Every structure is written in structure tokens, then in C-alpha cells.
Amino acid sequence: MLTQAPKGTRDMLPQDAYLWQHVEGKMRALAAKWGYREVRTPVFEHTELFLRGVGGTTDIVTKEMYTFLDKGERSITLKPEGTAGAVRAFIEGKLYNEALPCKMFYLNAPIFRYEKPQAGRLREHHQFGMECFGGKEPTVEAELINGLMTLLTELGLKNLSVHINSIGCPNCRPTYHEKLKEYLGDRISNMCPTCQERFEKNPLRILDCKEEKCKEIVKDAPAIIDCLCDECRSHFERLQALLSAQGIPFEVDSRIVRGLDYYTKTVFEIIMQSGREGLALCGGGRYDGLVKELGGPDTPAAGFGIGTERILMELKNAQEEPDAPSVTDVYVANLGAEMAAPAFTFCQQLRQMGVKADCDLAGRSLKAQFKFADKIGAKYVALVGGDEYERGVIKLRDMVTKEEKELALDAAAEEIAKLF
Ligand code: HAM
């Protein structure tokens, strides 16, 4: 227990750090090119934010939140998603007074959901998200989808498909709700208790149920895109035209409703064909009503979230992980304890010249130091000590070719730096 991380959580161990940094680097580069600036919001927020923002009938809110009372008896929740916090920060920071659209991203924000852990589904995961406030045009969604495809393709992932849908707005959704309820009518008694509860409160959520018997019933339900108002239909058609013009293939998928209540008009997911069924690599959409719902001025908005762990899993499956960079290029070995201090000084000189260098910190014998240098994959070992040191030189051994050469001590660091 003591040496086991809680179920559904994972350590990022030092040997995997370069992979995370590789992915993060691509995310940062994308955000910079697309004009999105970073936002960091707290890991926890007032529970009310998610009840109002994400929706009281969603699985996330009803089943998956990590909620507790703090010592001041306030109900606090660990972020189960990134959008509500970004909207709260947009309102609290009065960013609506700045130039709009205001575009922001969060990188590797920890997200907590009490889910049944499996491959690609964790209780703590990390998301990269891009959120755009103040843009009502479908170019916003087109830019987000384009960004995602650019990111995933640059990372080397293939077989990606973009699934889009429109789930309407407060004008046309009530008509759809009526149609859906009409269809569900006498079928609802055969559905799970959660669906029965949602029938009156939020019938659209029924389309999101994971129970097999419910999935079977809703598969023939009327599609919301057939009930869109003129504005929503035009928005959706313009988005499709924009994607086509950019050469981004997509599928209109009327089954996508997403698991969060704030969406209006466009919703989208990117799925990797090789991936596990039902596991989207990423999801997002438009949420024109959320800023107002949470107390800000009426501001259209759209965004996406993508899980870093899912990207890493797919990179591994596709064998697209980059090679690990070297940790230490030059290991400075000392020929005896009395040489430890000069070796340490030389190691510091190398570091100052920009060389990835290391030296003995464990009081090891020369043989053991070589063994260690070999283990960590050092390209060279610089030997400090012996009669060479008395003659003012150090010996540099190439660990691959085993060739050795002598370098004058006062110029050695500079000479070695030139090798990299
Ligand atoms: P979401 O679809 O719930 O959307 O999550 C976004 C992404 O986070 C998923 O596609 C997946 O990559 C990752 N993810 C979700 N749950 C888990 C999990 N349990 N374990 C590992 N990875 C997971 C949202 O969260 C919205 N806030 C996205 C958004 C931003 N919409 C508009 N702006």
C-alpha cells in the first residue's frame, strides 16, 4: 500500500520525462503559432462551478468528481475537466475587457475523474486544452481542428479521423428533446435507471449512456442534426466547407453528444482507428452559453481538450516514440579519492561550457566509475589524476572506439565542448 500509487494514477518516471517534454514542446509550439497564450488555474475549484458549468446530470458530476469539504467547510472539487476553470478565470480576470477573441491554452493540467481505470482511462490524467473566447464564427472550430490535426500528425500519428456533429442551441434543442422523448416513449421503461431519470431532466444525455441495452435502443433515435434551426445549420455547413477547403477529411457523426452539458452547436472528437473502441484521443466543441451561465457577459466560445497519456499510449502503439536523448555525454572519473576535488572542478568547467557532464558522487573505485559511466551511456570518460595530472594533462577516452587522447588541462574543457 505504502509503495503503491493510488489506483488509476501513474508516476512519470525520470526515464520517461523526455517523452512528455517532446509532446509538450510540440503543444507549446502549436499554441504559439496559433496565437494562444498560456493560462494556469488552480487544481481545485468551488464544487458549484462544475455543477453549474459541466451540468448536474452528467456522469462527470454525478459519479466521477473528487469532492470534499475543506477545513472551512467549503465544498471543493479537484478539476474534473479544464474548461470551467478557464471560463472562471476569464470572468474573474475581466479578460472580456481586453481585445477579443481572447485565446488561451493550458498544458498538462491535472484532471481528476473517479472512473474505472483501464488502458487510456485514468483517475488522474493530464490535458492540453485550447480555449477561444469571443469568436462566434465557425473559423474558430476550424482553427482548433486544424491545430489538433497538425499536432497529432507532427507527432507521427496516423489513421486519425475527425468526427463532427452539431447539437444545436437553446432555440432548436427543445424541439429535438420533444422528438427524442416521443421516440423513447414506451422504450424508456427498458432503459437503465439513470436514463429514466434523465428522460425528464436532460434527455440529450440519454444518447451518452454507456449501458449496452440503452445504446441498442438509442441507435435508431432521431438525429439532432435533422432538427437544427437555420442559424445552427448554416454554422455547421460553413464549418464543413472550411474543413473541406483545408483538405481535412471529416465524418459527420450524429452519435457524438459529448459528456458535458455546456456545448452548443459544434461538437467534435478525433479518433485513432488503431485505438481502443470508444476512446477518443481528443474532444471539444463550442460552448456559447457558458460564460454567461457562470456570471460573465454573453461571450461565444469554443475549445478542445486532449489527454497527454492517451497521446503517449498511441505514440507507443505506433512505435513513434523519439529516441531518448543522452543524459550524460562526459563522465569525469577520478583516479583516487585525493583526485575527487579536481575532478569535480573539471566537471563544473565542462557544465559551464554547456557540456552534459557528471562525476563521482559515491566515492567509487576507478573500475566502478567506469562501470557507472558505461551504464549511463556516457560517450566519453575524462580521467583526472595520475602522472598525466602532474604533467598538466587529462586523458579522454572515447567509450565507443576506446581511443584515448591527452588534452592540456587548461584547454581541455574548451576542446571537449567542441565535440558536441
Ligand atoms: P473530454 O472529452 O471529457 O473533454 O476530455 C478530453 C480528453 O481528455 C479526452 O479525449 C481524452 O484524451 C482525455 N481524457 C478524458 N478522460 C480521461 C481519463 N479518465 N483518462 C485519460 N485521459 C482522459 C473535456 O474535458 C472538455 N473540457 C474538452 C473541451 C475543452 N471542450 C471545450 N474545451
Side-chain angles (χ1 to χ4, degrees), residues 296-308:
D298 205 357
T299 311
F304 70 73
I306 182 161
T308 310

Side-chain angles (χ1 to χ4, degrees), residues 158-172:
K158 297 179 190 77
N159 303 321
L160 303 164
S161 53
V162 178
H163 295 239
I164 60 171
N165 191 20
S166 175
I167 55 167
C169 67
N171 290 332
C172 49

Side-chain angles (χ1 to χ4, degrees), residues 80-98:
E81 61 95 52
T83 309
V87 173
R88 202 255 321 120
F90 174 79
I91 299 169
E92 192 172 349
K94 297 193 171 49
L95 302 184
Y96 45 79
N97 288 332
E98 314 275 311

